[in-house]
Amino acid sequence: MASSHRIDPDARPYAPEGIATKPEVGFEGFAALDLRIGRVTAVDPFPEARQPAWKLTVDFGPVLGELRTSAKITSYAAEELLGRTVVGAVNLGAKRIAGFTSQFLVLGGLEPDGTVRLLAPDADLAPGSVVG
């Protein structure tokens, strides 16, 4: 399912040369994040969202179980996402988006035009594995 959302081909809001660095947070700031490996178990449309998005259900293993998130990653077809390994920040707190509770943030790198490219490990790690 392709997105009908069009991005201005000349817009490059995330071009690396135009993004300033953020202030240092120290190791403690990084260590406060709980980053985990998860496996996508369900992908559902999210027509209520203001911008094109999917509702993802991700298995984060025996301790965390399944968590749900809204993700603006419609450059991926549902079939490409189902079963895929992803990296999630699981301790940022829940956020309500168009009546849906998003429980974690799926991580990705940004193309210059804002298209998200999901982060994933280069080996098959078990759901719930810690990212460090």
Side-chain angles (χ1 to χ4, degrees):
M1 178 174 164
S3 168
S4 61
H5 181 67
R6 300 263 185 231
I7 296 175
D8 176 358
D10 296 325
R12 294 176 48 88
Y14 297 100
E17 62 274 8
I19 305 293
T21 61
K22 294 180 181 180
E24 284 188 17
V25 296
F27 182 75
E28 295 78 20
F30 173 76
L33 285 175
D34 191 353
L35 303 176
R36 302 286 182 117
I37 301 297
R39 188 163 319 279
V40 178
T41 59
V43 181
D44 299 302
F46 193 8
E48 302 86 1
R50 275 187 277 172
Q51 296 181 351
W54 293 112
K55 292 179 186 176
L56 302 180
T57 303
V58 177
D59 175 15
F60 283 103
V63 173
L64 292 169
E66 287 190 333
L67 299 176
R68 300 190 73 208
T69 191
S70 165
K72 295 186 278 186
I73 54 172
T74 55
S75 60
Y76 294 92
E79 300 79 29
E80 292 177 280
L81 294 168
L82 195 58
R84 182 186 177 105
T85 301
V86 295
V87 178
V90 299
N91 68 333
L92 297 175
K95 182 176 179 181
R96 295 284 289 173
I97 301 168
F100 173 77
T101 301
S102 188
Q103 299 171 299
F104 74 97
L105 177 68
V106 66
L107 300 181
L110 297 174
E111 296 273 3
D113 69 359
T115 300
V116 177
R117 299 292 174 204
L118 293 172
L119 300 184
D122 67 352
D124 189 26
L125 295 172
S129 295
V130 174
V131 175

